[in-house]
């Protein structure tokens, strides 16, 4: 099958040959320790090179000690990084892929927390995230920065990299100079685009001088900063033309947004359409002959092929897609698209963890970021036990997959008529539909292993023995509890459902009905419920004891877009409220900040509260001496990544249990 | 021994497990981010040793996890895994004649799964307050295993040379979670007797440290009266444990009140007095006691010892701010007082900031400071500058002057206004923190003692600075920042404002000349930081009619670390201040400001006579380029206290080197 013909056609980038058009673009990983690259970097990049990516661009390396915005940044300015550079490049070069180092100075988009130096910027405009007033960079500062770029670029080449990329796009001193929003200078580095781009041009010239003609040199530009008074598409195209005319670079990479102001547009969640930022590459490609990299939530090879076919770009950046499945390229090339573990763009464990200064992970690929750890042994191969997994939500499915891989004979039973547990509900509003890809991915993986889940089979306490298993894995999830305050004498006076019940879409609601969502959890359960309610035509009030409604949507970069959609549907938010009662027509609250009482009229009350683990089968199994493990919500109701991690660790745990049970 | 005004603190008459304490000063456990999970690092040893050398008799390490599954923050140490590196820390501290005790604990359901990638375990499930993560109920075998872990960890600490351990049963602790009905609703023996776990842990630890010190940090009030531990219950609990405990530290707070355990100045001082009285009414105390109760200076500690209520003075923040406070007092000087701002010392944050002090940035960076000052001292000996000129008498200027005198350099300080202190004086005079006045006092008296010539109402011109530098005298420019119209602040809006528009002033101006009572004020805060909240506090005290507008999701968004985030929200709510979050100021109107939602179509006008803009100031600049002229603090880039002090100390060191080099 001649699938993805364009995607797998080679291309020359300057003097660098690439086997295909799939790029693993630069992104933060937090793998660095004490400023130096680690074996985690090498193993992580190598996994994607092994998996068939054409080009890997590493995360940024700081070119100067004045730039240390987050703790685990690679200090390219320290010569000791060479050891790690060589480790990375050797690992990637075991495969046909090429690898480029992204070098950068974040300018004012940085913190003095680690460097204990003032941050540098074009003007004294504080960054909206870091909020530090920068030192206005003088001529000597700028010369030192340019020198830093040269030194670090040369060091990268010495360390075996095939080229260097200059991040001038979403978090960079170059961006700050380019953008009229942060550059208010009146000297030669400010004013019109020529002036504002002077630092960029000096760096390009300097770096090319430092690395010589052979290595590839690329520039990454932002096509729309998505901030007031920022750089827009027209200027980006103009810059690309300017760069081409000046010479020295071999390709242009693209991006959108400002990392410290409009991050939700850079690493957009599943609520954005795939390829949403391709218009930037497309406009730039029309203006220049240099190869252009397009990006923007492209998560499957078909989308990538289409972007190339439409002429939007010459190469396609696919980051999260290859975090979720390092072998995406190889699978696409050999026609195994069904086997690709599609990214959800849920942002929970990649973007969300990295933003919290933690190593990059993935909700559905527990090996992401852990590639350097010792590969797991198939711990159950020798004993080949029969293991029954009860419940086919994310935890149960993952356990079945992992157990089967480890050598167990697996029976997967599920009470409902479908797989996925709560995942099947999470996808039921349009902005969250791609959560269903996790169900699809697990279903395909189970099928590939020959595991056929037995659906519609509820396991009762007396049925455990009938399963005939050497061990059981209880992944039966959780159940909702109606709290005491919502009832009077144990009776509900108004219509009350849990967010979970609402998401089954089995509920009828008259148009214009007043609905109150009460949220104690702070994540997508309640905001999706609100979204479903306004879709159903309800007038929605959102109440929460938290100080910010939907507070953890910030982690997945859904906060802004949710608030925009909610505002468009007239949702009213009420924070710091603790629910105290639910009468016939209204819910009552007390404000925990000032003690004030508050009432909301309601025809329906939707509760998003912490659920209770449904671990009764686990307890039965333990008391009857059956080796048993509980995972996911059945252990404690949490988010999907925890379910997957625990499912994935089931083989080791089952092996321990069987070991302990042996007479 | 010269004891000066700290006679009781210096009394070496207290023994713990047969060990004589050289003073009554206790330096308690706190996260520092100086260590790693399996390593107590040398920088941590230097940090503790500096406090021990300064007089702390009982030093406790940062609480180490006793079980691998407990990983409450990235750099929380783990025992026994980190025990081998603890030996060096122990000898650094014990080398100063102080005791080193290992803080040990288990955060239970108040931990984090981010690093362990495992479920949080608790007596009964509850949601962790910051992450909302729900814990799972511990099973019998796991409980027994954790008790054994406590014993193993304790033994490893003693084997590494520690004098004993301090068990954490206070904030962030599984032991407290077992003790409290708030977090323990178990039906088994661990729930029927909620103190059973604490008792079993204590028993196991006592056995494992043999003759070593066993201290206990206990929660006296969980601030959750509907279910939590209250002082009388805390007393009952302790009464049963007392015979196995060598010293007791009482603190408050639990799952909903992280911020109340070691709060900032807003909480006041001696805030445990009532609770302690109730505690003692139930259980008379014979155990040496320390209190975490908002008393943060040596002077307050001395007073507290004088009452006889406590036998140990909790001086953690005091000694972070000024490791030599005791020694200074003993020598008849004055301490550099902690102001309880919590802006540098509170580091339980995913970004892993290193412990330090807003006014003493050398804290946590002892090696760098020692090197910097050692070199500078050496250079000054070779070729001492005749005189250092300091332009500007704010925090950076005063610090530069004092620091130079420590190197034996003569200093003249010029201040344009009629008062030294700059924004420190402004906030001390008009802000909500009374402790700042004491810090200002310290600076003024230290300048006088050091014979710094201070000239007030004496601005220096650029040519004055150049003339001094040309004559070989180094200059520190510490002239601060200014609130000037910039495209990035609200003053820009005044340009095309309609007639009758409100006046736009910076936060400093609003503090200097607060609007009159009843004046309609809209405060715009794009920073979310303590400076803006100080301004809010001051304006509320002035009795203005206030509304707050912020582009952030909540007011004071950056205050989580100082502990003022929730209290600030409470103050705003109780004062009835309307808060417009996720909102920006779009323009000025006649008699008001027009504001707009960031994520919605909402746009409205708020009545206002004055708009207070908390956007930061800008450096005024304008000093001449010369190798003997260095800017420091806001004059370089307006940042904060810490940068001002650090810049000043570094500028003095750099200039000393420049003078010495120039002399070659």
């Amino acid at each position: 099958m001649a699938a993805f013909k364009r995607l797998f056609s080679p291309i020359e980038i300057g003097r660098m040959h690439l086997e295909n058009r799939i790029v693993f673009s630069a992104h933060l990983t937090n793998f660095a320790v004490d400023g130096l690259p680690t074996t985690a970097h090498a193993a992580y990049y190598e996994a994607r090179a092994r998996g068939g990516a054409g080009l890997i661009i590493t995360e940024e390396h700081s070119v100067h000690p004045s730039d240390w915005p987050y703790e685990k940044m690679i200090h390219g300015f320290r010569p000791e990084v060479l050891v790690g550079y060589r480790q990375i490049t050797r690992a990637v070069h075991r495969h046909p892929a090429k690898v480029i180092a992204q070098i950068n100075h974040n300018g004012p988009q940085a913190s003095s927390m680690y460097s204990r130096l003032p941050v540098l910027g074009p003007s004294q405009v504080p960054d909206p995230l870091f909020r530090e007033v920068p030192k206005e960079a003088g001529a000597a500062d700028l010369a030192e920065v340019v020198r830093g770029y040269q030194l670090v670029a040369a060091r990268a080449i010495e360390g075996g990299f095939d080229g260097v990329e200059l991040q001038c796009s979403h978090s960079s001193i170059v961006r700050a100079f380019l953008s009229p929003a942060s550059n208010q200078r009146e000297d030669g580095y400010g004013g019109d685009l020529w002036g504002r781009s002077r630092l960029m041009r000096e760096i390009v010239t300097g770096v090319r001088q430092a690395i010589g003609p052979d290595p590839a040199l690329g520039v990454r530009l932002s096509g729309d900063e998505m901030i007031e008074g920022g750089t827009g598409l027209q200027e980006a195209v103009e810059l690309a033309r300017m760069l081409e005319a000046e010479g020295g670079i071999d390709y242009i990479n693209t991006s959108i947004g400002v990392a410290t102001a409009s991050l939700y547009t850079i690493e957009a969640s599943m609520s954005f359409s795939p390829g949403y930022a391709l218009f930037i590459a497309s406009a730039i490609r029309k203006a220049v002959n240099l190869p252009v990299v397009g990006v923007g939530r492209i998560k499957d090879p078909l989308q990538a092929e289409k972007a190339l076919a439409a002429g939007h770009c010459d190469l396609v950046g696919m980051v999260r897609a290859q975090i979720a499945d390092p072998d995406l390229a190889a699978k696409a090339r050999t026609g195994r698209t069904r086997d690709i573990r599609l990214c959800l763009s849920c942002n929970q464990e990649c973007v969300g963890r990295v933003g919290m200064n933690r190593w990059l992970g993935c909700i559905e690929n527990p090996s992401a970021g852990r590639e350097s750890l010792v590969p797991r042994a198939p711990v159950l191969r020798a004993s080949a036990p029969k293991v029954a997994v009860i419940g086919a939500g994310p935890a149960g499915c993952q356990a079945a997959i992992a157990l089967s891989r480890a050598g167990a004979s697996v029976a997967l039973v599920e009470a409902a008529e479908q797989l996925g547990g709560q995942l099947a509900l999470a996808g039921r509003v349009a902005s969250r539909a791609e959560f269903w890809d996790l169900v699809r991915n697990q279903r395909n993986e189970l099928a590939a292993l020959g595991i056929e889940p037995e659906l519609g089979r509820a396991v009762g306490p007396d049925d455990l023995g009938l399963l005939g298993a050497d061990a059981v894995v209880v992944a039966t999830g959780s159940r909702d509890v109606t709290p005491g305050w919502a009832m009077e004498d144990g009776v509900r006076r108004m219509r009350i459902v849990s967010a979970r019940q609402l998401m089954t879409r089995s509920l009828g609601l008259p148009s214009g009905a007043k609905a109150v969502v009460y949220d104690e959890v702070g994540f997508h359960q309640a905001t999706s419920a609100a979204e479903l309610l306004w879709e159903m035509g309800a007038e929605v009030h959102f109440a929460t004891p938290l100080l910010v409604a939907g507070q953890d949507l910030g982690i997945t970069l859904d906060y802004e877009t949710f608030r925009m959609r909610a505002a468009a549907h007239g949702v009213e938010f009420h924070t710091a409220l603790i629910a105290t009662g639910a009468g016939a027509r209204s819910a009552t609250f007390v404000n925990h900040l000032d003690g004030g009482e508050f009432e909301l009229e309601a025809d329906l009350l939707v509760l998003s509260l912490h659920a209770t683990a449904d671990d009764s089968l686990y307890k039965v199994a333990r008391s009857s001496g059956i080796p048993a493990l509980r995972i996911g919500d059945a252990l404690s109701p949490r988010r999907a990544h925890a379910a997957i991690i625990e499912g994935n660790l089931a083989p080791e745990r089952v092996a321990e249990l069987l070991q302990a049970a042996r007479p | 021994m010269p004891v000066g005004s700290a006679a009781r603190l210096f009394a070496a008459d207290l023994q713990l497990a047969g060990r004589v304490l050289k003073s009554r000063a206790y330096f308690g456990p706190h996260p520092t981010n100086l260590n790693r999970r399996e390593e107590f690092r040398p920088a941590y040893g230097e940090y503790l040793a500096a406090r021990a050398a300064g007089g702390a008799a009982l030093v406790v390490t940062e609480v180490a996890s006793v079980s691998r599954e407990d990983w409450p923050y990235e750099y929380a140490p783990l025992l026994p895994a980190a025990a081998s590196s603890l030996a060096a820390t122990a000898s650094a501290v014990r080398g100063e004649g102080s005791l080193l005790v290992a803080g040990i604990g288990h955060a239970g359901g108040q931990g984090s799964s981010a690093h362990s990638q495992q479920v949080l375990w608790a007596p009964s499930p509850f949601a962790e307050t910051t992450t909302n993560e729900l814990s799972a109920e511990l099973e019998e075998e796991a409980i027994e295993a954790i008790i054994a872990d406590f014993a193993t960890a304790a033994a490893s600490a003693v084997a590494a040379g520690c004098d004993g351990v301090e068990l954490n049963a206070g904030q962030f602790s599984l032991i407290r979670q077992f003790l409290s009905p708030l977090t323990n609703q178990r039906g088994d023996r661990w729930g029927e007797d909620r103190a059973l776990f604490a008792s079993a842990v204590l028993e196991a630890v006592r056995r494992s440290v043999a003759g070593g010190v066993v201290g206990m940090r206990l929660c006296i009030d969980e601030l959750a009266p509907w279910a939590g531990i209250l002082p009388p219950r805390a007393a009952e609990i302790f009464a049963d444990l007392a015979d196995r405990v060598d010293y007791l530290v009482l603190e408050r707070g639990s799952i909903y009140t992280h911020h109340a355990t070691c709060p900032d100045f807003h909480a006041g001082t001696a805030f445990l007095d009532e609770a302690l009285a109730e505690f003692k009414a139930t259980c008379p105390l014979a155990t040496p006691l320390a209190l975490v109760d908002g008393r943060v200076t040596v002077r307050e500690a001395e007073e507290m010892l004088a009452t006889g209520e406590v036998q140990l003075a909790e001086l953690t923040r005091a000694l972070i701010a000024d490791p030599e406070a005791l020694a200074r007092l003993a020598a008849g000087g004055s301490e550099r007082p902690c102001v309880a701002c919590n802006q540098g010392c509170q580091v339980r944050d995913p970004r892993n900031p290193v412990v330090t002090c807003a006014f003493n940035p050398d804290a946590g960076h002892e090696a760098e400071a020692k090197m910097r000052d050692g070199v500078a001292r050496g250079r000054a000996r070779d070729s001492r500058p005749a005189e250092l000129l300091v332009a500007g008498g704010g925090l950076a200027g005063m610090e530069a002057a004092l620091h130079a005198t420590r190197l034996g350099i003569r200093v003249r300080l010029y201040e344009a206004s009629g008062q030294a202190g700059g924004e420190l004086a402004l906030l001390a005079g008009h802000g909500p923190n009374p402790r700042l006045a004491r810090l200002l006092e310290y600076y003024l008296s230290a300048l006088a003692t050091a014979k710094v010539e201070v000239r007030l109402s004496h601005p220096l011109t650029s040519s004055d600075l150049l003339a001094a530098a040309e004559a070989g005298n180094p200059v520190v420019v510490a002239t601060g920042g200014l609130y000037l119209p910039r495209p990035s602040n609200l003053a820009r809006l005044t340009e095309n404002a309609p007639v009758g528009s409100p006046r736009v002033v910076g936060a400093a101006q609003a503090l200097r000349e607060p609007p009159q009572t009843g004046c309609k004020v809209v405060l715009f805060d794009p920073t979310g930081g303590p400076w803006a909240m100080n301004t809010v506090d001051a304006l509320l005290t002035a009795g203005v009619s206030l509304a707050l507008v912020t582009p952030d999701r909540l007011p004071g968004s950056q205050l989580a670390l100082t502990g003022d985030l929730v209290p600030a929200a409470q103050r705003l709510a109780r004062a009835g201040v309307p808060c417009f979050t996720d909102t920006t100021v779009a323009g000025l109107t006649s008699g008001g400001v027009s504001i707009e939602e960031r994520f919605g179509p909402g746009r409205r006008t708020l009545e206002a006579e004055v708009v207070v803009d908390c956007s930061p100031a800008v450096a005024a600049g304008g000093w001449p380029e010369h190798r003997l002229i260095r800017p420091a603090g806001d004059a370089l880039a307006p940042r904060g206290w810490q940068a001002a002090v650090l810049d000043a100390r570094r500028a003095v060191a750099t200039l000393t080197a420049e003078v010495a080099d120039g002399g070659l």
Side-chain angles (χ1 to χ4, degrees), chain A residues 545-548 551 575-578 591-595, chain B residues 129-130 223 226 252 254-261 263-264 266-267 342 528-529 533 536-537 540 554-575 579:
Chain A
L546 304 173
L547 296 182
V548 176
Q551 67 171 25
T575 55
L577 294 183
I578 295 173
N591 184 309
H592 63 75
L593 294 176
D594 60 14
Chain B
T129 314
T130 310
L223 304 176
W226 63 93
R252 69 178 189 184
S254 67
I255 54 175
Y256 301 115
T257 43
H258 298 162
H259 57 272
T261 303
D264 79 358
H266 286 95
N342 280 358
M533 205 47 74
V536 168
D537 288 332
L540 289 176
L554 74 172
S557 63
Q558 310 296 303
L559 296 177
L561 275 186
T562 69
D564 194 37
L565 189 132
V566 172
Q570 287 167 343
R571 294 197 300 279
L572 286 164
R574 286 169 192 163
C579 293

Side-chain angles (χ1 to χ4, degrees), chain B residues 65-67 79-81 83 104 144-159 165 201 204-205 207-209:
Chain B
S65 301
V66 300
S67 306
L79 282 175
I104 57 172
E144 296 286 1
I146 292 172
I147 294 167
D149 287 343
F150 267 102
T152 310
S156 77
V158 171
V165 296
V201 168
V205 165
R207 260 202 312 273
S208 107
V209 303

Side-chain angles (χ1 to χ4, degrees), chain B residues 219-409:
Chain B
C219 175
I220 186 174
D221 185 346
E222 288 195 292
L223 304 176
W226 63 93
I229 297 166
L230 290 167
R233 177 63 197 141
E236 284 169 20
I237 291 166
F238 187 67
D240 291 336
L241 306 173
D243 61 335
R244 289 162 284 173
V245 175
D246 297 310
Y247 72 91
L248 174 68
V249 183
L250 289 171
E251 66 180 21
R252 69 178 189 184
S254 67
I255 54 175
Y256 301 115
T257 43
H258 298 162
H259 57 272
T261 303
C262 183
D264 79 358
F265 64 89
H266 286 95
T269 54
F271 54 69
L272 290 185
D273 276 4
E274 266 179 54
L276 186 64
E278 285 183 67
F279 184 100
K280 285 188 168 172
T282 308
C283 164
L285 258 180
T287 314
L289 174 71
L291 289 177
V292 185
D293 72 345
R295 284 184 268 206
V296 294
T297 65
V298 172
R299 192 163 78 179
E300 289 163 305
E302 181 68 15
E303 287 164 8
M304 183 161 38
L305 288 169
T307 64
E309 289 286 310
V310 299
Q311 292 69 44
L312 282 166
E314 205 276 343
L315 284 170
T316 313
R317 283 184 287 178
L319 295 179
I320 296 174
D322 184 0
E324 286 145 21
L326 285 165
R328 250 201 269 274
L329 276 175
S334 58
E335 69 176 316
R336 197 171 188 285
C338 166
V339 298
C341 70
N342 280 358
Q343 288 176 39
C345 54
Q346 305 301 308
V347 298
R348 203 181 175 104
D349 182 280
R351 290 168 296 175
N352 302 335
V354 164
V355 70
T356 189
C357 170
F359 292 92
N360 173 23
D362 292 345
H365 300 272
E366 279 70 20
E368 181 194 320
K370 206 168 160 186
M371 168 86 86
R372 176 196 68 211
D373 295 343
V375 169
R377 205 163 280 126
R379 305 306 294 269
R381 210 176 297 125
D382 300 343
S383 169
R384 195 185 309 281
E387 183 179 62
L388 173 76
L389 203 67
V390 178
L395 180 61
M398 294 191 298
E399 181 64 36
L402 274 185
H403 201 68
T405 62
R406 283 179 212 131
L407 301 176
I409 301 166

